[in-house]
Amino acid sequence: MKLKFGSVEENVVTREEFPLEKAREVLKDEVIAVIGYGVQGPGQALNLKDNGFNVIVGQRKNSKTWDKAVADGWVPGETLFEIEEACQRGTIIQFLLSDAGQIALWPTVKKYLTPGKALYFSHGFGITYKEKTGIIPPPDVDVILVAPKGSGTSLRRMFVEGRGLNSSYAIYQDATGRAKDRVIALGIGVGSGYLFETDFYREVTSDLTGERGTLMGAIQGIFAAQYEVLRENGHSPSEAFNETVEELTQSLMPLVAENGMDWMYANCSTTAQRGALDWWKPFRDATKPVFEKLYNSVKSGQEAQKSIDSNSRPDYREKLEAELKELRESEMWQAGATVRKLRPENN
């Protein structure tokens, strides 16, 4: 159906329009092979299984992720296989490894993409930057995308709670004439609240911008800047953390999620409203050049190349852990650990 988002009309698919029963009918003869059991794999695989689809998992034996899959209920030799066997058995291959992992495993996966199969992504990276990744699918398979707008952990948690995480969907290649039915059915199957239409290029450019911007990079930068200013002016760590992070995540963002920014403002004091209305535009004007620089870096492929170069190094995990440790051991997030322990639900 078409719905207006502001003044712009977009194509969306809802659960009412494409119910789970229809999705099961579309995919009744398919074997969905989920390759990769790291970030998105567990949530999508478990949701599909719980929704009644024929799902298998492909993972390397003698690995932590193989053990995690077994712990989650996947049975070796029945629903859990080595990657090559899962690719051979699957009629839909959900390629849910990291971007670097996809590059490394592509020659293996490509061998099993026989005519009529579908290659499924949850990120447009590999296809959009195919000159850098080498991921060029054969012309006789469907190439589709469902990108949940959140982590695999959130996708699973919300599914278990009876909720749904919104997802985008895209079709890069429709070799069978069934690509649209397949992608929508899979989107419903993994637990999407609704699906909105995009393409691989727009998915990856918006996603890389969002991750580096307000969803992760920018918000940490803003948290750090305000926390540091408060500390430099004599405020205690607990006060600085509460006024920077805790109040936002525990009190204010749920109101934004419920009914929008104006609703959150309306539920705060008049003093808070006045200050927010006076200051949001200066913050927009100060940060917009940074966002423009970021988007241009994404658009040019520079961010993709950085990601490929960094994440393909043999010592990537060690360097990543060192950077995460720096965050974790910073005073702000050490203060946060204490604040979280003091929440009433944790006592």
Side-chain angles (χ1 to χ4, degrees):
M1 67 171 68
K2 289 186 179 292
L3 290 177
K4 276 196 171 182
F5 292 79
S7 60
V8 178
E9 200 170 63
E10 298 184 37
N11 289 320
V12 300
V13 180
T14 66
R15 294 176 178 182
E16 291 73 27
E17 180 185 358
F18 204 109
L20 184 57
E21 294 73 19
K22 183 176 179 180
R24 290 193 191 111
E25 179 63 26
V26 168
L27 300 178
K28 65 181 180 181
D29 298 322
E30 306 274 15
V31 177
I32 304 165
V34 176
I35 308 302
Y37 209 74
V39 178
Q40 279 290 334
Q44 294 200 31
L46 290 167
N47 291 1
L48 283 163
K49 183 176 78 167
D50 288 352
N51 270 333
F53 296 91
N54 186 8
V55 189
I56 61 175
V57 170
Q59 194 50 251
R60 296 197 186 283
K61 272 187 181 177
N62 303 317
S63 66
K64 289 181 180 178
T65 44
W66 177 279
D67 294 341
K68 174 174 169 49
V70 172
D72 284 347
W74 303 97
V75 180
E78 294 180 18
T79 56
L80 177 61
F81 301 93
E82 289 268 22
I83 289 172
E84 291 208 26
E85 185 171 355
C87 287
Q88 186 175 30
R89 288 171 175 264
T91 59
I92 297 172
I93 297 176
Q94 292 197 199
F95 205 18
L96 299 182
L97 293 162
S98 68
D99 295 321
Q102 288 182 11
I103 295 169
L105 200 66
W106 175 243
T108 299
V109 171
K110 187 178 180 180
K111 291 189 297 186
Y112 297 100
L113 287 172
T114 51
K117 286 193 176 186
L119 179 63
Y120 167 111
F121 294 88
S122 282
H123 191 23
F125 191 100
I127 293 292
T128 299
Y129 302 114
K130 56 185 180 292
E131 294 82 7
K132 302 178 187 294
T133 65
I135 297 176
I136 302 173
D140 49 10
V141 300
D142 293 342
V143 182
I144 55 181
L145 173 146
V146 173
K149 297 299 108 180
S151 72
T153 302
S154 300
L155 182 73
R156 181 61 179 167
R157 283 179 181 171
M158 293 175 77
F159 177 87
V160 170
E161 292 167 0
R163 301 160 64 203
L165 197 63
N166 301 328
S167 304
S168 59
Y169 76 93
I171 299 167
Y172 178 76
Q173 192 167 278
D174 184 4
T176 66
R178 297 187 293 118
K180 185 169 185 181
D181 278 351
R182 276 171 146 177
V183 74
I184 299 300
L186 287 161
I188 298 298
V190 301
S192 303
Y194 76 86
L195 294 149
F196 62 93
E197 188 176 26
T198 188
D199 58 41
F200 277 64
Y201 172 79
R202 285 185 292 152
E203 191 284 327
V204 75
T205 49
S206 61
D207 190 66
L208 293 181
T209 301
E211 290 166 349
R212 287 149 180 77
T214 59
L215 302 178
M216 295 172 71
I219 197 166
Q220 165 62 17
I222 290 170
F223 283 165
Q226 179 170 302
Y227 182 88
E228 288 168 13
V229 167
L230 289 172
R231 290 290 287 124
E232 287 161 6
N233 283 275
H235 298 271
S236 68
S238 61
E239 185 168 60
F241 187 85
N242 272 285
E243 293 296 345
T244 300
V245 180
E246 189 76 351
E247 185 174 347
L248 176 69
T249 59
Q250 299 302 296
S251 172
L252 302 181
M253 289 312 292
L255 292 174
V256 177
E258 182 183 322
N259 211 20
M261 188 66 75
D262 64 310
W263 170 250
M264 185 266 275
Y265 281 14
N267 281 276
C268 294
S269 71
T270 53
T271 302
Q273 290 173 21
R274 183 70 268 143
L277 291 166
D278 286 346
W279 277 94
W280 80 261
K281 289 180 182 177
F283 276 109
R284 177 200 62 192
D285 295 344
T287 58
K288 190 174 179 184
V290 181
F291 281 101
E292 288 169 341
K293 181 180 179 181
L294 165 59
Y295 191 83
N296 287 332
S297 184
V298 170
K299 192 175 177 181
S300 70
Q302 188 176 344
E303 292 300 310
Q305 192 62 57
K306 282 184 194 174
S307 180
I308 292 169
D309 293 344
S310 171
N311 298 347
S312 299
R313 291 180 183 138
D315 61 348
Y316 162 69
R317 289 287 173 192
E318 291 81 2
K319 288 188 173 179
L320 173 65
E321 179 52 36
E323 290 179 285
L324 293 176
K325 183 181 178 184
E326 180 188 355
L327 276 180
R328 185 168 57 250
E329 294 185 353
S330 68
E331 185 191 84
M332 180 172 72
W333 290 111
Q334 287 293 299
T338 303
V339 168
R340 288 192 296 277
K341 287 177 186 175
L342 292 170
R343 290 176 187 163
E345 65 268 24
N346 293 330
N347 288 285

